[in-house]
Amino acid sequence: MWLKPEEVLLKNALKLWATVKSNDYFILQRRRGYGEGSGGLAGLLVGTLDAVLDSTAKVAPFRILHQTPDSQVYWNIACGASEEEIAQHWEWLQQNIMRTLSVFDSSDDITSFVQGKIRGLIAEEGKVSLVQEDDPEKFREALLRFESWFSLPDKEKLVTYYSCSYWRGRVPCQGWLYLSTNFLCFYSYLLGNEVKLVISWVEISRLEKTSSVLLTESIRVCAGGEEHCFSMFLHLQQTFLLMEQLADYAVRRLIDKEMFPSDHILTDPLQITKRGLETHARNEAFRAFFRLPREENLLEVYESFLWLPFSYFNTLGKICVSENYLCFASQDGSQCHLIIPVREILSVEKPDRLSRALTVCMRGKRALRFSEVRDFERLAATIRKKCGNTASPQHSASCQALLECGEDEEGLMVGQRSSSKTVSTEALMNVFHPQDAENLDPKMLKEKMKEQSWQIHFAEYGRGTSMFCTRRTRDLIVRGVPESLRGELWMLFSGAVNDMATHPAHYSELVEASLGASSLATDEIERDLHRSLPDHPAFQSDTGISALRRVLTAYAYRNPKIGYCQAMNILASVLLLYAKEEEAFWLLVAVCERMLPDYFNRRIIGALVDQAVFEDLIREHLTQLTEHMTDLTFLSSVSLSWFLTLFISVLPIESAVNVVDCFFFDGIKAILQLGLATLDYNMDALLCCSDDTEAVTILNRFFDSVTNKDSPLPATVQQAPVGTNDRAAQRVDISDLIKEAYEKYGDIKSEEVESMRRRNKLYVIQTLEDTTRQNVVRVVAQEVRFSGPHMDELYVLFKRQHFLSCYWTAGSAALQHHDPSLPYLEQYQLGLAQFSSLLLLLQPWSPGAYTHTLARWTFRLIDDNHDGLVNFREFCRALDILYSGSFTEKLKFLFKLHLPPVAPVLLALTDSAVSKACQPSQSLPLGEEPPAFTRLTDGPDDGVIRRSPEKGRGKVDLQAYLKQWQDEIQKKEESIKDLPRIEQAQFILLSKTLYGLFHGDPEEEALFRAVARVTSLLLRMEEVGRRLQEDSQASTSPQSPSKTSPSLPQTSSPTKTSPSPPQTCSPSKTSVSPPKASSPTKTSASPPPTSNPAEAIAEQLEAVSVDPEALSPGQDPVSASEEAPSSPKASSDPPSPSSSGTLETETELANTPSEHTAPPSPQGMEWSFSFEQILASLLNEPVLVKFFEKPVDIQKQLDRAKRDQLKLKAQITK
């Protein structure tokens, strides 16, 4: 590898390097301790020094230096891992550089010329991804070490590397931590002790920062039941955040099968870089803080002061610029922040260059003044470019006047300018409970006071999207939002107003597109429509039900990955009460896709993660409850509905909307605070509980007692009991409860909650994966003979092999065609290439040339539904036969592998063609597809494999489910009598397969001879049957030819003929049981037709003087064993006319089969055997029986597979 020229001191280098060859301008050196004389103390010391100092010499112990005769300075220009590699570089220098250097007169000119040439070579061979690295030259050297030490596939993308210590018990190992797209790797070498660690990100269950007495700060990684501790980082926080990002990216891409179509940074796993991940993290934090659409990215950041007209002072903060928004946040993040859509900006002025100030004028006669802006001219140019307007002189005076007098006119209400067409333009609460302006009820008067407070707030802080959000805003939210302003404020705080403005008329288009659509989601929606707030008048009429149906159906059409999930109907119904229909849709989008990620799917991972966060907060803030209830899983199960429905399902609707107010302003933090306050309020009662049932009763009773004393809703709408009784004094007002939650737990920061989310997400996902593994193993274990631990290890290997097909490609079929609705058994499946690799690692026989062909045949045999994928159950069934099956089961398995049409089809396809055919999105060409073979993609035209009877988005086919269930009940074990006869070409292949299995066995020669004897015997038996059939045909009357014609060997089952003695010996009627005699040629005296068929065959063989042990003249046993499967003429008898096929014809049939071979003519009829004949013949060879019944060390095979699985993948890719 060519290196960026670096200056070295030869005097110090001679202590560690030995010169191999040199000339006037270059020196080739070898690292001491490598190559010849590498053993001993010198090798250990040099190796340790290289590992600790992260020297390239550890993996590249050869180098080339450039020198000039009159200079003491040397330049390192190349390194190599082997003598061959460095020799190529040396030869290139001799041929291309040496001749040119003689023309230079100055040493400096020579050095400059050599350095320029080397840099040019590096630029030509440099990878494109290296351009994005901070230090490409250092990264190239680190990449070389990474590839050499860990032997991963070349496609594995190294992201970054750090120096650290890895703790093995209480002993630290100083080395280097390498973080790649799919793996966490560590390498250390100290005094001959090499430590190498490779952990897949998807196997990590815990990733957290810890501290102890011994270690101030360290990173703890839990994976596969083992803990790994890393410490002594130079930048620990940066390293930890990057590790969190890589782990989360791997989980989302490989387990959740997310494709990231809108994020170019994460789309291609081969282009992931440290800089890209940092940019992605900043963009996500930016969007989450300001609640912006997912299309927005943080482009520029400027520090500045913002003039606050309501406080009359400047606050320090940062201006964040994205594609369509200008945002500001004060330095502490909680004092003040605002969002300025570019569409609202009219002009930008620079009134004072000395103070570096900018004035932004907006619609509604508003203006914002920024001062002390770093690079304010660039910011002004950026805003003007985005607005498409330039400042004009008349705007300056107007902007200054706005700054002096403040806002004179209110901004327009959110939704009043909406040009998009909606189906319903009124909130349901306004339709079913319009407010009476003349009502002087005390509750209505308090409602008016709330409205007045918000109007004053709007006058001071602004209204609409560019309103200042401060602590004052939060205080008003905690007191309660007026009914008339709730929809507007929900849209504003959630960011849904920006989504709706960015996508005008999108909802109307979705409603039209989804109108009349029928799918599993629409069926579930129809089922739950009347369960959504059934006591509310709005949802007792067709108006409310129709609006709810349109909103849920449109969202299911927009986001088919989520579709529809229970609890979405409850949330959408509340949104429709206070927002217009289109606004309710965008509020639902904001909740499902931004504020509550991964909540509404089949595994509700997001809710489970927040439950884990809730448990951590309980341990931190409610220690008494933690000490009393050692197991907090009960609280998790109780609180699940709190998170999924935002307390709507447990609180009366008039109280629950106050919780929703806080949620849209503070996010999930508000729900966590309220949950802690609820448990704190009932602490004494919970501490006295004796069981979970009593605790549930206490919490349910508490929620029933929560009321909203300020709610102006009539009794017909409220859900809480309004009558006075003895318990009225025990009632809890929702405003008081929320206020207490903010006072006691308001110090919980959103950043801490997000960090706890990331930390617990890995644990939750691995817990779900463990549950899936247990369910799959429990089901499959009933059908196989593997032990529980072996089944667990097999599942881990199978799952890892599935991931190997997804690691290094963004367009993997397993990722693109993943269907989360599939049952547990089919969540992880293997294609042909992955299956072949795994079978190669686990097969009980020695690998050979036959291995890949046998793997293809096995794949097609066990692929029951012919979808080009094999699940864990199908894989274990096949492996169980190979490991633990009896001699008959194994032979039957091999026999079925070679039955048509599978074997001819596979032989006709090349390896690449078979791999292509096994891709889920493609199928065999129609012309090449055999009639009896099922198409690989017999389904919809979208290319997605559908295994469930529901066929994707269509309605559930109950008849298909019932038929599948009936077939499984009626399924019976296959009998050997049900197997078809094996034909000539397939029998030759079976014999060759047996020869391949014996390769490398200690008794290889004896096994070859045994197969030769069996093959020769079977051929002679078939010859005798043919002769007997010819004799029977000659002696039969020509008036009944149909009764005497021989049965064709192509029939799938034996043909029933008349029970004459000659036909008893015919292969089409033979039924052989394991013979008692040791030799199949043992004779008996004239057996009756009902005697043992094996003895009858032996008698007929003796009658025609056929010796099954005879060999061809001049032929040794080994050569006979090699030729017997290919030649039916391997006997001393001349061939009969009935078997006129020559050796050349048979070989041609075996090697070049046709998809549609025509039936043979009576003159050239092929021979065939039944499974019973082959079984009976092989049972007479003890050495064969011993070979197949030899026990297999399963644990040894599993250990070898775990050790070599990744290495095999690397070899295949290379």
Side-chain angles (χ1 to χ4, degrees):
M1 181 178 72
W2 298 107
L3 301 177
K4 180 182 178 181
E6 292 184 358
E7 186 176 344
V8 296
L9 293 178
L10 189 60
K11 180 178 179 181
N12 296 332
L14 289 175
K15 298 178 181 180
L16 299 175
W17 294 87
T19 301
V20 178
K21 61 176 69 173
S22 64
N23 55 37
D24 292 339
Y25 299 102
F26 300 102
I27 302 175
L28 192 154
Q29 294 181 331
R30 174 179 54 82
R31 189 74 163 176
R32 295 186 186 275
Y34 297 89
E36 299 179 1
S38 60
L41 182 60
L44 295 179
L45 292 176
V46 174
T48 301
L49 183 64
D50 291 339
V52 173
L53 298 180
D54 192 33
S55 173
T56 308
K58 176 65 179 176
V59 294
F62 297 91
R63 73 176 183 179
I64 297 177
L65 301 179
H66 165 62
Q67 65 168 352
T68 53
D70 54 350
S71 175
Q72 296 298 320
V73 179
Y74 295 82
W75 300 86
N76 187 14
I77 62 174
C79 66
S82 62
E83 293 186 18
E84 292 78 10
E85 180 184 358
I86 203 68
Q88 292 178 1
H89 288 14
W90 181 267
E91 186 66 24
W92 187 90
L93 292 172
Q94 295 293 324
Q95 295 180 1
N96 299 276
I97 301 295
M98 286 295 296
R99 298 177 183 177
T100 310
L101 296 182
S102 59
V103 302
F104 292 98
D105 298 330
S106 171
S107 299
D108 294 339
D109 294 341
I110 293 175
T111 301
S112 299
F113 175 78
V114 172
Q115 290 181 358
K117 278 291 186 180
I118 300 303
R119 289 192 178 96
L121 292 174
I122 294 175
E124 290 180 3
E125 69 179 11
K127 297 181 180 179
V128 178
S129 60
L130 298 181
V131 179
Q132 304 177 13
E133 306 299 336
D134 296 333
D135 191 346
E137 297 302 327
K138 291 292 184 183
F139 194 85
R140 289 176 73 246
E141 298 177 12
L143 181 61
L144 176 64
R145 295 189 294 270
F146 174 74
E147 294 175 348
S148 175
W149 284 339
F150 301 107
S151 301
L152 295 173
D154 294 337
K155 292 184 178 181
E156 181 62 17
K157 178 67 174 64
L158 176 64
V159 178
T160 188
Y161 60 100
Y162 299 96
S163 174
C164 68
S165 292
Y166 171 61
W167 290 81
R168 302 181 68 184
R170 296 185 178 181
V171 179
C173 301
Q174 183 65 30
W176 290 85
L177 181 70
Y178 294 86
L179 306 181
S180 66
T181 306
N182 301 296
F183 299 97
L184 179 152
C185 306
F186 177 83
Y187 183 85
S188 174
Y189 184 87
L190 295 174
L191 298 177
N193 183 20
E194 185 181 52
V195 178
K196 191 181 296 185
L197 186 68
V198 179
I199 302 175
S200 175
W201 291 116
V202 292
E203 296 177 358
I204 295 179
S205 59
R206 284 287 187 186
L207 181 63
E208 55 190 2
K209 291 188 298 182
T210 59
S211 61
S212 61
V213 178
L214 184 62
L215 299 176
T216 305
E217 277 189 317
S218 61
I219 297 177
R220 185 165 66 96
V221 179
C222 299
E226 299 180 354
E227 290 189 2
H228 309 276
C229 188
F230 303 91
S231 64
M232 300 181 68
F233 289 94
L234 185 60
H235 304 288
L236 186 137
Q237 180 64 20
Q238 179 190 34
T239 306
F240 179 72
L241 291 177
L242 191 61
M243 292 171 69
E244 276 190 334
Q245 284 184 270
L246 288 170
D248 180 69
Y249 173 65
V251 166
R252 291 168 62 186
R253 190 173 71 90
L254 300 176
I255 295 182
D256 295 341
K257 304 299 187 295
E258 193 170 340
M259 300 297 295
F260 309 99
S262 60
D263 195 336
H264 67 279
I265 297 177
L266 304 180
T267 301
D268 188 358
L270 304 182
Q271 301 298 328
I272 298 295
T273 62
K274 176 184 175 182
R275 186 181 302 175
L277 289 175
E278 292 173 349
T279 303
H280 175 75
R282 285 197 302 268
N283 291 337
E284 284 203 331
F286 168 69
R287 289 191 292 262
F289 183 83
F290 292 105
R291 309 280 173 80
L292 296 178
R294 57 187 176 186
E295 296 87 2
E296 299 299 315
N297 296 295
L298 181 59
L299 302 179
E300 299 174 3
V301 179
Y302 301 87
E303 287 190 359
S304 71
F305 287 88
L306 173 63
W307 172 255
L308 304 180
F310 51 86
S311 300
Y312 300 101
F313 73 90
N314 288 308
T315 180
L316 177 63
K318 292 184 178 181
I319 303 174
C320 302
V321 182
S322 67
E323 288 84 352
N324 300 295
Y325 295 90
L326 186 71
C327 307
F328 178 86
S330 59
Q331 203 164 24
D332 58 0
S334 59
Q335 183 178 359
C336 172
H337 73 271
L338 79 158
I339 304 171
I340 310 170
V342 173
R343 62 181 181 272
E344 298 291 332
I345 299 177
L346 296 176
S347 63
V348 180
E349 303 296 336
K350 296 181 289 184
D352 188 1
R353 289 183 175 272
L354 295 178
S355 61
R356 295 179 296 178
L358 288 178
T359 301
V360 179
C361 301
M362 300 180 297
R363 302 180 190 275
K365 296 184 179 181
R366 293 188 60 194
L368 300 173
R369 180 186 177 90
F370 299 95
S371 59
E372 298 298 332
V373 182
R374 294 185 179 180
D375 201 357
F376 71 104
E377 293 184 351
R378 178 183 175 186
L379 176 59
T382 300
I383 298 176
R384 288 170 181 169
K385 182 179 180 181
K386 292 182 178 296
C387 296
N389 297 322
T390 58
S392 57
Q394 58 268 26
H395 280 299
S396 301
S398 61
C399 293
Q400 185 65 29
L402 287 173
L403 288 171
E404 294 176 354
C405 65
E407 183 182 5
D408 293 336
E409 298 183 9
E410 296 180 358
L412 293 176
M413 295 279 289
V414 175
Q416 291 181 349
R417 298 191 309 271
S418 176
S419 59
S420 58
K421 300 179 181 179
T422 56
V423 179
S424 177
T425 57
E426 287 292 334
L428 294 181
M429 192 63 73
N430 296 335
V431 176
F432 290 89
H433 179 54
Q435 293 187 6
D436 187 1
E438 299 179 358
N439 189 352
L440 300 180
D441 183 83
K443 293 185 177 180
M444 290 301 301
L445 290 177
K446 196 162 187 177
E447 186 75 4
K448 295 294 183 181
M449 293 176 61
K450 288 183 180 179
E451 292 181 5
Q452 187 65 26
S453 299
W454 276 97
Q455 294 298 335
I456 296 174
H457 184 273
F458 292 150
E460 294 182 358
Y461 296 88
R463 187 171 189 173
T465 54
S466 56
M467 181 181 71
F468 287 94
C469 294
T470 64
R471 292 192 180 97
R472 171 65 177 168
T473 311
R474 179 181 283 110
D475 294 339
L476 291 176
I477 290 288
V478 172
R479 295 179 191 175
V481 176
E483 298 283 323
S484 59
L485 298 177
R486 183 161 276 132
E488 175 188 351
L489 294 178
W490 284 0
M491 289 287 292
L492 175 63
F493 296 142
S494 66
V497 61
N498 297 318
D499 288 322
M500 190 170 71
T502 307
H503 305 87
H506 181 61
Y507 175 67
S508 300
E509 296 172 357
L510 289 176
V511 171
E512 295 177 1
S514 61
L515 185 64
S518 179
S519 65
L520 181 61
T522 57
D523 292 343
E524 294 177 351
I525 290 172
E526 291 295 330
R527 182 187 61 198
D528 291 343
L529 283 177
H530 296 278
R531 303 177 185 176
S532 308
L533 303 183
D535 297 331
H536 199 284
F539 298 99
Q540 295 174 354
S541 67
D542 183 66
T543 302
I545 294 296
S546 299
L548 181 61
R549 179 187 293 111
R550 287 191 294 268
V551 169
L552 294 176
T553 305
Y555 184 78
Y557 190 87
R558 163 190 163 88
N559 191 346
K561 183 179 179 181
I562 294 179
Y564 171 77
C565 182
Q566 286 188 348
M568 289 176 63
N569 60 318
I570 299 176
L571 181 60
S573 60
V574 175
L575 299 178
L576 283 169
L577 289 178
Y578 295 97
K580 301 173 185 178
E581 187 174 322
E582 183 181 11
E583 295 174 347
F585 169 79
W586 287 113
L587 284 170
L588 186 64
V589 170
V591 172
C592 295
E593 298 179 7
R594 286 203 309 269
M595 304 186 71
L596 297 179
D598 297 327
Y599 259 64
F600 301 98
N601 52 39
R602 295 184 180 272
R603 299 199 296 177
I604 57 172
I605 293 177
L608 297 177
V609 169
D610 284 341
Q611 282 184 300
V613 173
F614 188 52
E615 290 183 15
D616 292 343
L617 293 175
I618 291 174
R619 295 186 183 95
E620 181 180 350
H621 296 277
L622 303 177
T623 54
Q624 292 182 347
L625 188 62
T626 305
E627 294 172 357
H628 178 71
M629 303 179 66
T630 56
D631 187 8
L632 297 179
T633 54
F634 158 71
L635 293 178
S636 298
S637 60
V638 172
S639 63
L640 180 61
S641 61
W642 304 356
F643 294 98
L644 282 175
T645 64
L646 307 179
F647 283 92
I648 296 174
S649 62
V650 294
L651 289 176
I653 183 63
E654 64 275 8
S655 300
V657 291
N658 286 35
V659 179
V660 179
D661 296 339
C662 300
F663 167 75
F664 279 124
F665 188 82
D666 277 324
I668 194 62
K669 169 189 167 184
I671 305 300
L672 295 170
Q673 291 175 175
L674 186 61
L676 292 174
T678 300
L679 297 179
D680 188 25
Y681 191 92
N682 297 276
M683 178 72 71
D684 296 336
L686 291 174
L687 292 177
C688 299
C689 291
S690 57
D691 55 16
D692 296 344
T693 305
E694 187 177 354
V696 172
T697 303
I698 291 173
L699 292 175
N700 289 337
R701 190 179 302 158
F702 168 77
F703 288 129
D704 291 338
S705 67
V706 175
T707 185
N708 189 351
K709 61 183 180 181
D710 298 331
S711 176
L713 298 180
T716 55
V717 176
Q718 295 188 22
Q719 296 179 352
V722 295
T724 59
N725 50 36
D726 297 337
R727 295 176 51 200
Q730 302 178 1
R731 296 199 176 278
V732 181
D733 185 67
I734 186 62
S735 298
D736 296 336
L737 184 62
I738 292 175
K739 184 178 180 180
E740 181 180 355
Y742 272 91
E743 289 177 352
K744 288 187 175 181
Y745 310 107
D747 58 342
I748 299 175
K749 297 182 179 180
S750 300
E751 294 80 5
E752 295 177 359
V753 173
E754 291 301 322
S755 177
M756 298 170 71
R757 273 180 162 182
R758 291 192 298 267
R759 183 175 68 247
N760 286 284
K761 183 177 180 180
L762 295 176
Y763 173 74
V764 168
I765 287 181
Q766 291 302 329
T767 302
L768 293 175
E769 290 295 303
D770 290 342
T771 303
T772 300
R773 174 181 54 80
Q774 293 170 4
N775 293 334
V776 171
V777 168
R778 184 176 63 252
V779 172
V780 178
Q782 301 175 4
E783 306 175 14
V784 295
R785 286 156 283 195
F786 292 114
S787 63
H790 289 164
M791 287 290 295
D792 290 335
E793 294 187 40
L794 274 176
Y795 182 85
V796 172
L797 286 170
F798 189 88
K799 178 181 174 182
R800 188 178 299 165
Q801 192 70 24
H802 166 82
F803 286 149
L804 287 176
S805 66
C806 311
Y807 277 153
W808 300 285
T809 174
S812 170
L815 295 176
Q816 291 181 339
H817 303 141
H818 174 70
D819 185 0
S821 65
L822 295 177
Y824 287 144
L825 286 172
E826 299 184 11
Q827 284 297 315
Y828 297 114
Q829 302 181 90
L830 301 182
L832 174 59
Q834 290 74 38
F835 172 83
S836 300
S837 300
L838 187 57
L839 187 65
L840 179 64
L841 293 170
L842 292 172
Q843 63 180 354
W845 303 303
S846 302
Y850 71 96
T851 303
H852 297 288
T853 303
L854 199 62
R856 294 200 302 269
W857 296 353
T858 304
F859 180 84
R860 287 299 179 88
L861 177 64
I862 65 178
D863 184 14
D864 294 335
N865 52 3
H866 304 293
D867 61 355
L869 295 171
V870 169
N871 59 35
F872 184 66
R873 169 188 278 171
E874 296 168 339
F875 177 78
C876 285
R877 285 174 177 172
L879 205 62
D880 179 60
I881 296 175
L882 299 180
Y883 277 11
S884 307
S886 63
F887 174 73
T888 303
E889 291 174 333
K890 293 179 180 179
L891 183 62
K892 183 171 71 172
F893 186 80
L894 293 173
F895 182 86
K896 292 169 66 175
L897 290 182
H898 298 78
L899 290 177
V902 177
V905 171
L906 290 176
L907 285 174
L909 295 173
T910 62
D911 291 353
S912 59
V914 172
S915 300
K916 183 178 179 181
C918 290
Q919 295 298 327
S921 60
Q922 302 190 21
S923 61
L924 290 173
L926 187 61
E928 299 179 7
E929 185 176 330
F933 197 70
T934 306
R935 291 185 63 88
L936 296 180
T937 55
D938 186 12
D941 295 332
D942 56 2
V944 180
I945 300 174
R946 309 292 188 189
R947 292 165 197 82
S948 55
E950 63 189 53
K951 291 291 181 184
R953 298 180 183 173
K955 286 189 175 181
V956 179
D957 191 350
L958 297 180
Q959 295 294 333
Y961 272 121
L962 293 175
K963 185 178 184 302
Q964 181 180 357
W965 177 62
Q966 184 179 7
D967 293 342
E968 291 180 357
I969 293 179
Q970 297 179 352
K971 189 176 181 180
K972 61 180 181 179
E973 184 177 359
E974 185 181 38
S975 172
I976 59 176
K977 294 184 178 180
D978 299 329
L979 295 174
R981 298 174 65 85
I982 190 169
E983 299 176 0
Q984 171 182 338
Q986 286 74 46
F987 177 74
I988 295 175
L989 292 177
L990 175 60
S991 302
K992 292 182 177 179
T993 299
L994 292 177
Y995 283 130
L997 297 180
F998 305 148
H999 180 71
D1001 191 89
E1003 300 183 2
E1004 180 178 359
E1005 184 176 354
L1007 291 169
F1008 280 178
R1009 292 186 177 184
V1011 172
R1013 288 193 295 269
V1014 170
T1015 306
S1016 179
L1017 174 62
L1018 288 172
L1019 293 173
R1020 285 160 179 73
M1021 291 168 57
E1022 176 65 16
E1023 190 70 21
V1024 170
R1026 294 294 179 87
R1027 290 184 179 183
L1028 293 176
Q1029 286 185 353
E1030 291 178 355
D1031 295 341
S1032 175
Q1033 292 177 8
S1035 60
T1036 305
S1037 172
Q1039 281 77 13
S1040 57
S1042 61
K1043 295 183 180 180
T1044 59
S1045 61
S1047 59
L1048 295 178
Q1050 283 77 11
T1051 55
S1052 60
S1053 59
T1055 307
K1056 295 184 179 181
T1057 57
S1058 55
S1060 60
Q1063 290 177 339
T1064 303
C1065 301
S1066 173
S1068 62
K1069 186 62 180 174
T1070 305
S1071 177
V1072 181
S1073 59
K1076 299 180 181 179
S1078 59
S1079 174
T1081 58
K1082 183 177 180 180
T1083 59
S1084 59
S1086 302
T1090 59
S1091 64
N1092 193 331
E1095 298 178 357
I1097 294 175
E1099 180 182 1
Q1100 297 297 329
L1101 288 173
E1102 184 179 4
V1104 295
S1105 302
V1106 176
D1107 184 7
E1109 298 291 337
L1111 297 174
S1112 300
Q1115 201 174 24
D1116 63 299
V1118 176
S1119 62
S1121 66
E1122 294 175 353
E1123 295 179 8
S1126 304
S1127 175
K1129 299 190 294 182
S1131 65
S1132 57
D1133 294 341
S1136 63
S1138 63
S1139 58
S1140 59
T1142 62
L1143 175 61
E1144 291 77 7
T1145 304
E1146 294 167 1
T1147 305
E1148 183 180 356
L1149 287 172
N1151 294 333
T1152 58
S1154 173
E1155 296 281 348
H1156 308 284
T1157 304
S1161 60
Q1163 290 79 10
M1165 190 177 301
E1166 295 182 353
W1167 38 261
S1168 63
F1169 300 110
S1170 68
F1171 175 74
E1172 295 160 306
Q1173 289 176 301
I1174 299 175
L1175 175 63
S1177 302
L1178 292 176
L1179 284 173
N1180 287 311
E1181 298 293 339
V1183 65
L1184 289 175
V1185 177
K1186 179 182 177 182
F1187 173 81
F1188 282 104
E1189 293 187 347
K1190 180 171 56 178
V1192 179
D1193 189 346
I1194 301 177
Q1195 189 60 49
K1196 181 179 178 181
Q1197 294 291 108
L1198 294 174
D1199 293 340
R1200 184 176 69 89
K1202 287 189 292 185
R1203 183 182 66 252
D1204 299 338
Q1205 190 174 22
L1206 201 56
K1207 295 180 181 178
L1208 179 63
K1209 179 65 178 180
Q1211 295 173 2
I1212 293 176
T1213 56
K1214 291 179 181 180

